[in-house]
Amino acid sequence: MTEEARRTIAADIVFDGESAHRDCAVVTEGEDIVSLILRREIPRGANVVELPKGAWLAPGFIDIQVNGGGDVLFNDEPTPEGIATILHAHRKFGTTSLLPTLITDTDEKMIAAKRAVAEIMPHAPGALGVHFEGPFLSSERLGVHRADLRRAPQPHHVEMLAPPPGGVSLVTLAPEEAPPGFVSELVAAGCKLALGHSMATYAQTREAMSEGLTGFTHLFNAMRPLASREPGPIAAALESPFAYYGLIVDGEHVDPAMLRLALRAGLGHPMLVTDAMPPVGGCAQEFVLQGRTILAQDGRCVTADGTLAGAALDMASAVRNCVALLDLPLERALVFASTNPANFLGLGKRLGRLVAGYRADMTAFDPQSLRVISTWVAGERSAEEW
């Protein structure tokens, strides 16, 4: 590629996934990052995007749990077009890649979701694969998942849940509901495994982790609570340096005091997730989730009886809440939003950092408000500026 084909994005602060650098620029060619240089080293005549004064440039946010966005619910529209709408809705909040998430549904719907992801991935690098949240869940911790669609794993599910070509398959399950060896089979098939909607004991959780389960879906929510005589999955997650746990930092799903305690005590790797529903990036204030009307009000998505049903949260707000509610440095919150989820998905050598050889997925934002200014996915800048 010629020097003219290179693109340079300069910012007052560039956070590379580990450290913040002042007065630097990221140089890209095509979809890749070539180098991180000082602003004064930018060649004369270079194709330069100068970000506004005070703006930060950081790795694009990676959200591994997105039920919907832009008034689209993935369960209702498991199509390439539905995924494209969800991607666009979340990009304005700094999310440059995500896993469309299908909550408990039929085998036919699960097959359709995986097919749609496989179809769109070659054309939309922001789609990393698919997240199947269910249907192998505990009857005691279903939340808004439909009880009549909950079922036991069958042999054909291993192949059905295997990753789409070139993509990731994340499966959230209750390990105590799975037959012996099922976790190992899914891991051998290439799936990433997370515990969620589970009443697993500490021993059952540890057994699943020994078979390859490394993730925990929305830690604290929809799982056996931490107790003195039965520490359950929460203790197993926090004491393991190999665990990755999703946190919904909206001030609603988990009290900030509990999250602050988990971050102080935990040895593993926190990840910000939104558990986002259709109103994120959309206009409607209510939607139907598998026959139940859900209201989006006061920053919450709830059923008529007040049960939480996903979240009305975006990733930029989750990062901002980490700073405001959890007293975290911005740099650490950014790691939770990009580097850690990339590593969990096995993509940590390609995504989640701004260094040479990584894909040019970037988010530019105001560090005070976390208002997103612009994004780049595989080197392509968003058509819209927000």
Side-chain angles (χ1 to χ4, degrees):
M1 235 179 227
T2 64
E3 188 66 31
E4 290 75 16
R6 293 191 174 196
R7 299 176 182 176
T8 302
I9 301 93
D12 285 358
I13 299 291
V14 174
F15 179 70
D16 66 8
E18 292 184 356
S19 305
H21 306 271
R22 184 172 297 279
D23 289 322
C24 281
V26 174
V27 182
T28 69
E29 274 189 0
E31 66 177 30
D32 294 332
I33 295 172
V34 174
S35 61
L36 177 63
I37 62 174
L38 293 172
R39 205 180 223 143
R40 63 174 180 267
E41 296 173 342
I42 298 174
R44 182 173 298 177
N47 180 5
V48 181
V49 173
E50 283 282 354
L51 293 178
K53 184 176 177 58
W56 281 45
L57 184 67
F61 304 151
I62 301 171
D63 195 344
I64 65 171
Q65 190 175 3
V66 180
N67 307 294
D71 296 323
V72 166
L73 180 69
F74 189 45
N75 279 70
D76 288 347
E77 297 188 44
T79 64
E81 295 76 17
I83 296 170
T85 298
I86 293 169
L87 288 169
H88 181 263
H90 284 268
R91 189 164 173 176
K92 68 182 69 175
F93 303 111
T95 297
T96 55
S97 54
L98 55 80
L99 292 181
T101 300
L102 191 85
I103 70 168
T104 298
D105 216 313
T106 64
D107 278 8
E108 291 73 21
K109 191 68 70 68
M110 295 167 73
I111 291 169
K114 180 176 170 180
R115 183 186 303 121
V117 168
E119 288 180 16
I120 198 173
M121 281 183 62
H123 315 289
L128 299 179
V130 62
H131 180 174
F132 294 109
E133 187 183 358
F136 318 125
L137 309 178
S138 167
S139 60
E140 298 179 58
R141 295 288 167 176
L142 281 176
V144 294
H145 291 242
R146 275 176 52 177
D148 62 315
L149 294 175
R150 170 186 169 271
R151 54 199 182 277
Q154 302 297 322
H156 72 275
H157 285 130
V158 174
E159 181 178 354
M160 196 176 81
L161 295 171
V168 175
S169 178
L170 171 60
V171 180
T172 291
L173 52 69
E176 75 277 13
E177 300 293 331
F182 186 67
V183 168
S184 295
E185 289 184 75
L186 287 180
V187 171
C191 298
K192 299 294 179 183
L193 269 291
L195 178 148
H197 294 271
S198 169
M199 278 296 288
T201 64
Y202 175 81
Q204 289 170 326
T205 305
R206 293 282 296 179
E207 175 62 26
M209 294 173 76
S210 74
E211 294 181 21
L213 182 146
T214 56
F216 292 80
T217 295
H218 43 53
L219 191 71
F220 294 105
N221 294 113
M223 62 179 61
R224 180 188 288 273
L226 189 67
S228 59
R229 294 181 185 81
E230 178 44 75
I234 296 172
L238 295 178
E239 73 176 4
S240 171
F242 306 106
Y244 289 81
Y245 26 88
L247 305 177
I248 305 175
V249 188
D250 62 354
E252 299 288 344
H253 278 74
V254 186
D255 190 279
M258 290 298 290
L259 292 177
R260 289 193 294 268
L261 181 63
L263 293 176
R264 286 195 298 270
L267 301 179
H269 310 280
M271 303 177 292
L272 294 182
V273 297
T274 63
D275 200 13
M277 285 295 182
V280 176
C283 300
Q285 294 305 301
E286 67 176 53
F287 60 98
V288 176
L289 176 66
Q290 296 182 324
R292 302 176 71 178
T293 298
I294 310 297
L295 302 177
Q297 56 187 25
D298 301 323
R300 310 165 78 230
C301 290
V302 294
T303 63
D305 64 5
T307 301
L308 288 172
L313 180 68
D314 61 79
M315 283 295 277
S317 296
V319 172
R320 182 174 62 249
N321 289 343
C322 277
V323 177
L325 300 180
L326 307 185
D327 302 321
L328 292 181
L330 177 56
E331 293 92 328
R332 193 176 180 203
L334 294 172
V335 170
F336 295 177
S338 56
T339 311
N340 285 357
N343 289 337
F344 171 58
L345 297 179
L347 302 174
K349 294 185 178 180
R350 183 64 172 153
L351 300 177
R353 297 182 65 196
L354 301 187
V355 297
Y358 278 60
R359 199 169 81 183
D361 285 13
M362 301 177 287
T363 295
F365 57 89
D366 175 86
Q368 303 303 320
S369 65
L370 261 296
R371 181 183 67 84
V372 173
I373 299 166
S374 191
T375 59
W376 290 257
V377 177
E380 289 295 322
R381 191 178 188 182
S382 51
E384 303 168 81
E385 300 305 305
W386 301 290

